[in-house]
Amino acid sequence: MPQLRLWTLLQGFSRPTSLCTHLHQRAPVDQAHTDSVNLCPVKTLDKWRYPTVEQRAKCMAGSLYVSVPEDGTVLQLLLTEMGLSDSDKPYMALRDDCLHQQRSPALELHVEGPSSGRVLWPVLVISQGSLILACLAMVDAPADPRPPLASLFSVSQGLTLLAGLQAFLCGSGSKPDREGLTSRLAMMPSILLQICPLGTPLDIPQLGASSASAMPTPAGTQKQPAWKTGVHRGRAVVNVALTEMVRSMQYGNRNRQDLWDVYGTVTCKCEVEGVLPNVTVTLTLPPNGSPLMDVLVHPCVSSLDASILTAMSVEDCDSSAFSGPYKFPFSPPLEPFRLCSYTSQVPVPPILGTYQLKDDDNQLRITVSLKLHESVRNSFEYCEAHLPFFNRDQMGSVDVKVSSGQLEVSKEKNLLVWVLGQKFPKSREVSLEGSVSFSGEHPGPTDPLCTDLTAYIKLYFRVPDLTLSGCCVDQHSVQVYSSAKPRIVTSRELLSSEYFIWNSTGTAPVSSGHMML
């Protein structure tokens, strides 16, 4: 992400009309001419340094790192590079030599003289009237050779930020009026905190923004915390999304126990007004639902029932464990965040399957059956079964039939894709049978694990508006303590994750991850 190491705002008093002659001067002139272009002093109106970005620049540059000098030195170097300093001297090599090429708006500041090789670059400068805005962009590339200016995202972001600040400070006119400039300068700390937190340009200030709309509006005596870079303005919306992921390792073998587990996350995006608005999200379970285990919460959660955190999946499940409702009061950050995560013990996986392979003279005979459990709603956004074959020649003939859905064949990848679609048939059972020969001229993909008859099916599916645990977020249970009544949007979904069915006639690996029996 593009970042800035430094930015500064300068103002010159009564900039002379003949300054352009002095700026383009590249040879000594007589003293009489320079007397006519005397420049009055320049003062610094505002400046910001970002130590975290500076530390990152130091780590990236290594021995080529050039530190940013003191403010006075930076001011002098910048004015010299722009031709606005030492106007009483008819000639300065650093400023007026013909070999010096000023590449506006990205300037070079020679920290210890032109011959030292210690240069701050790129220093971006925009001026309008008596105002000069400048920033030092962070370069996320090796310093030698110097990358093209157009390839640096931080340069475009820095120029956009300076142009936005320039338009904000100058208002509707080409030159800022004294009263308007004073009031807007007073708003700069909060403006920069919102649009460039920690040196990362995210936005530009709104044109014509008034003091009331640009400044954070405190609620009573509340103080804006350092971790919250701004406040939301506009329509209030609270979005809560509950996602459950199910993993499974099914072997089709009586000597090996099938494994599966479920883990869920609750993600929130709260666009509500106020410095520290209070929001409460409540998770509920059905009457016969298993308690949520291994609950972890975001640091913004202000309080929590201790019994929620004590239920652990590594311990024996206690029937008297806390089973909800699970209330999470919090003051949300501006960006989307994970409110909490949990695991849940469910009695069966959503799809049960068996997979059998028989090797017959460089030909595999395949038998697959899948069954959707009755507790799972028969409505998928998508459902696919992938059958890869490793450590063999490329596929030759494929003679495979499916009882439902469509079969796609990728001979280059040695892959069968069984597209089951959005619904299982009424019986909730589907099957695949046939044979595949491997007579291609080139070898197929390899895998050190899947040798001989060690093979698997991997399922990919998504079921909207469903969770295996039965956990849900009711719209009416979301409470928001704010000046405006927000629109509440809730959703839930079930996704597959590492969902494997192994060939029962071959060897199969044992899962090392924690799964529930």
Side-chain angles (χ1 to χ4, degrees), residues 154-165:
S154 59
V155 171
S156 59
Q157 288 290 87
L159 289 174
T160 301
L161 174 67
L162 294 182
L165 290 173

mmCIF file with all atom_site columns, all heavy atoms in Angstrom, residues 154-165:
data_model
loop_
_atom_site.group_PDB
_atom_site.id
_atom_site.type_symbol
_atom_site.label_atom_id
_atom_site.label_alt_id
_atom_site.label_comp_id
_atom_site.label_asym_id
_atom_site.label_entity_id
_atom_site.label_seq_id
_atom_site.pdbx_PDB_ins_code
_atom_site.Cartn_x
_atom_site.Cartn_y
_atom_site.Cartn_z
_atom_site.occupancy
_atom_site.B_iso_or_equiv
_atom_site.pdbx_formal_charge
_atom_site.auth_seq_id
_atom_site.auth_comp_id
_atom_site.auth_asym_id
_atom_site.auth_atom_id
_atom_site.pdbx_PDB_model_num
ATOM 1  N N   . SER A 1 154 ? 2.795  5.152  -5.130 1.00 0.00 ? 154 SER A N   1
ATOM 2  C CA  . SER A 1 154 ? 2.825  6.151  -4.065 1.00 0.00 ? 154 SER A CA  1
ATOM 3  C C   . SER A 1 154 ? 2.921  7.567  -4.616 1.00 0.00 ? 154 SER A C   1
ATOM 4  O O   . SER A 1 154 ? 2.460  8.513  -3.978 1.00 0.00 ? 154 SER A O   1
ATOM 5  C CB  . SER A 1 154 ? 3.994  5.876  -3.122 1.00 0.00 ? 154 SER A CB  1
ATOM 6  O OG  . SER A 1 154 ? 5.224  5.905  -3.828 1.00 0.00 ? 154 SER A OG  1
ATOM 7  N N   . VAL A 1 155 ? 3.510  7.729  -5.812 1.00 0.00 ? 155 VAL A N   1
ATOM 8  C CA  . VAL A 1 155 ? 3.617  9.061  -6.424 1.00 0.00 ? 155 VAL A CA  1
ATOM 9  C C   . VAL A 1 155 ? 2.233  9.551  -6.847 1.00 0.00 ? 155 VAL A C   1
ATOM 10 O O   . VAL A 1 155 ? 1.844  10.691 -6.563 1.00 0.00 ? 155 VAL A O   1
ATOM 11 C CB  . VAL A 1 155 ? 4.586  9.028  -7.611 1.00 0.00 ? 155 VAL A CB  1
ATOM 12 C CG1 . VAL A 1 155 ? 4.532  10.337 -8.386 1.00 0.00 ? 155 VAL A CG1 1
ATOM 13 C CG2 . VAL A 1 155 ? 6.006  8.766  -7.128 1.00 0.00 ? 155 VAL A CG2 1
ATOM 14 N N   . SER A 1 156 ? 1.493  8.701  -7.549 1.00 0.00 ? 156 SER A N   1
ATOM 15 C CA  . SER A 1 156 ? 0.157  9.117  -7.973 1.00 0.00 ? 156 SER A CA  1
ATOM 16 C C   . SER A 1 156 ? -0.756 9.371  -6.780 1.00 0.00 ? 156 SER A C   1
ATOM 17 O O   . SER A 1 156 ? -1.533 10.330 -6.775 1.00 0.00 ? 156 SER A O   1
ATOM 18 C CB  . SER A 1 156 ? -0.453 8.055  -8.895 1.00 0.00 ? 156 SER A CB  1
ATOM 19 O OG  . SER A 1 156 ? -0.537 6.807  -8.236 1.00 0.00 ? 156 SER A OG  1
ATOM 20 N N   . GLN A 1 157 ? -0.640 8.524  -5.750 1.00 0.00 ? 157 GLN A N   1
ATOM 21 C CA  . GLN A 1 157 ? -1.450 8.734  -4.561 1.00 0.00 ? 157 GLN A CA  1
ATOM 22 C C   . GLN A 1 157 ? -1.045 10.011 -3.829 1.00 0.00 ? 157 GLN A C   1
ATOM 23 O O   . GLN A 1 157 ? -1.895 10.743 -3.321 1.00 0.00 ? 157 GLN A O   1
ATOM 24 C CB  . GLN A 1 157 ? -1.312 7.533  -3.623 1.00 0.00 ? 157 GLN A CB  1
ATOM 25 C CG  . GLN A 1 157 ? -2.012 6.276  -4.119 1.00 0.00 ? 157 GLN A CG  1
ATOM 26 C CD  . GLN A 1 157 ? -3.510 6.388  -4.071 1.00 0.00 ? 157 GLN A CD  1
ATOM 27 O OE1 . GLN A 1 157 ? -4.117 6.889  -5.026 1.00 0.00 ? 157 GLN A OE1 1
ATOM 28 N NE2 . GLN A 1 157 ? -4.119 5.958  -3.001 1.00 0.00 ? 157 GLN A NE2 1
ATOM 29 N N   . GLY A 1 158 ? 0.264  10.276 -3.766 1.00 0.00 ? 158 GLY A N   1
ATOM 30 C CA  . GLY A 1 158 ? 0.730  11.492 -3.112 1.00 0.00 ? 158 GLY A CA  1
ATOM 31 C C   . GLY A 1 158 ? 0.276  12.750 -3.832 1.00 0.00 ? 158 GLY A C   1
ATOM 32 O O   . GLY A 1 158 ? -0.152 13.726 -3.204 1.00 0.00 ? 158 GLY A O   1
ATOM 33 N N   . LEU A 1 159 ? 0.356  12.747 -5.162 1.00 0.00 ? 159 LEU A N   1
ATOM 34 C CA  . LEU A 1 159 ? -0.104 13.909 -5.932 1.00 0.00 ? 159 LEU A CA  1
ATOM 35 C C   . LEU A 1 159 ? -1.609 14.099 -5.784 1.00 0.00 ? 159 LEU A C   1
ATOM 36 O O   . LEU A 1 159 ? -2.095 15.234 -5.704 1.00 0.00 ? 159 LEU A O   1
ATOM 37 C CB  . LEU A 1 159 ? 0.265  13.732 -7.401 1.00 0.00 ? 159 LEU A CB  1
ATOM 38 C CG  . LEU A 1 159 ? 1.757  13.863 -7.735 1.00 0.00 ? 159 LEU A CG  1
ATOM 39 C CD1 . LEU A 1 159 ? 2.011  13.516 -9.191 1.00 0.00 ? 159 LEU A CD1 1
ATOM 40 C CD2 . LEU A 1 159 ? 2.267  15.271 -7.446 1.00 0.00 ? 159 LEU A CD2 1
ATOM 41 N N   . THR A 1 160 ? -2.360 12.995 -5.754 1.00 0.00 ? 160 THR A N   1
ATOM 42 C CA  . THR A 1 160 ? -3.806 13.102 -5.560 1.00 0.00 ? 160 THR A CA  1
ATOM 43 C C   . THR A 1 160 ? -4.123 13.706 -4.197 1.00 0.00 ? 160 THR A C   1
ATOM 44 O O   . THR A 1 160 ? -5.020 14.551 -4.068 1.00 0.00 ? 160 THR A O   1
ATOM 45 C CB  . THR A 1 160 ? -4.449 11.714 -5.685 1.00 0.00 ? 160 THR A CB  1
ATOM 46 O OG1 . THR A 1 160 ? -4.156 11.172 -6.979 1.00 0.00 ? 160 THR A OG1 1
ATOM 47 C CG2 . THR A 1 160 ? -5.949 11.787 -5.500 1.00 0.00 ? 160 THR A CG2 1
ATOM 48 N N   . LEU A 1 161 ? -3.383 13.282 -3.176 1.00 0.00 ? 161 LEU A N   1
ATOM 49 C CA  . LEU A 1 161 ? -3.598 13.831 -1.845 1.00 0.00 ? 161 LEU A CA  1
ATOM 50 C C   . LEU A 1 161 ? -3.284 15.326 -1.807 1.00 0.00 ? 161 LEU A C   1
ATOM 51 O O   . LEU A 1 161 ? -4.062 16.122 -1.274 1.00 0.00 ? 161 LEU A O   1
ATOM 52 C CB  . LEU A 1 161 ? -2.729 13.091 -0.833 1.00 0.00 ? 161 LEU A CB  1
ATOM 53 C CG  . LEU A 1 161 ? -2.735 13.647 0.596  1.00 0.00 ? 161 LEU A CG  1
ATOM 54 C CD1 . LEU A 1 161 ? -4.096 13.466 1.237  1.00 0.00 ? 161 LEU A CD1 1
ATOM 55 C CD2 . LEU A 1 161 ? -1.657 12.994 1.449  1.00 0.00 ? 161 LEU A CD2 1
ATOM 56 N N   . LEU A 1 162 ? -2.140 15.727 -2.399 1.00 0.00 ? 162 LEU A N   1
ATOM 57 C CA  . LEU A 1 162 ? -1.770 17.145 -2.401 1.00 0.00 ? 162 LEU A CA  1
ATOM 58 C C   . LEU A 1 162 ? -2.788 17.979 -3.165 1.00 0.00 ? 162 LEU A C   1
ATOM 59 O O   . LEU A 1 162 ? -3.151 19.078 -2.739 1.00 0.00 ? 162 LEU A O   1
ATOM 60 C CB  . LEU A 1 162 ? -0.380 17.320 -3.014 1.00 0.00 ? 162 LEU A CB  1
ATOM 61 C CG  . LEU A 1 162 ? 0.799  16.714 -2.234 1.00 0.00 ? 162 LEU A CG  1
ATOM 62 C CD1 . LEU A 1 162 ? 2.105  17.017 -2.956 1.00 0.00 ? 162 LEU A CD1 1
ATOM 63 C CD2 . LEU A 1 162 ? 0.850  17.244 -0.811 1.00 0.00 ? 162 LEU A CD2 1
ATOM 64 N N   . ALA A 1 163 ? -3.251 17.460 -4.307 1.00 0.00 ? 163 ALA A N   1
ATOM 65 C CA  . ALA A 1 163 ? -4.244 18.209 -5.088 1.00 0.00 ? 163 ALA A CA  1
ATOM 66 C C   . ALA A 1 163 ? -5.549 18.345 -4.315 1.00 0.00 ? 163 ALA A C   1
ATOM 67 O O   . ALA A 1 163 ? -6.205 19.394 -4.354 1.00 0.00 ? 163 ALA A O   1
ATOM 68 C CB  . ALA A 1 163 ? -4.475 17.511 -6.425 1.00 0.00 ? 163 ALA A CB  1
ATOM 69 N N   . GLY A 1 164 ? -5.945 17.281 -3.598 1.00 0.00 ? 164 GLY A N   1
ATOM 70 C CA  . GLY A 1 164 ? -7.158 17.362 -2.794 1.00 0.00 ? 164 GLY A CA  1
ATOM 71 C C   . GLY A 1 164 ? -7.033 18.343 -1.647 1.00 0.00 ? 164 GLY A C   1
ATOM 72 O O   . GLY A 1 164 ? -7.951 19.114 -1.370 1.00 0.00 ? 164 GLY A O   1
ATOM 73 N N   . LEU A 1 165 ? -5.875 18.336 -0.974 1.00 0.00 ? 165 LEU A N   1
ATOM 74 C CA  . LEU A 1 165 ? -5.650 19.285 0.110  1.00 0.00 ? 165 LEU A CA  1
ATOM 75 C C   . LEU A 1 165 ? -5.581 20.719 -0.417 1.00 0.00 ? 165 LEU A C   1
ATOM 76 O O   . LEU A 1 165 ? -6.063 21.655 0.229  1.00 0.00 ? 165 LEU A O   1
ATOM 77 C CB  . LEU A 1 165 ? -4.357 18.933 0.853  1.00 0.00 ? 165 LEU A CB  1
ATOM 78 C CG  . LEU A 1 165 ? -4.383 17.658 1.689  1.00 0.00 ? 165 LEU A CG  1
ATOM 79 C CD1 . LEU A 1 165 ? -2.991 17.353 2.227  1.00 0.00 ? 165 LEU A CD1 1
ATOM 80 C CD2 . LEU A 1 165 ? -5.383 17.769 2.831  1.00 0.00 ? 165 LEU A CD2 1
#
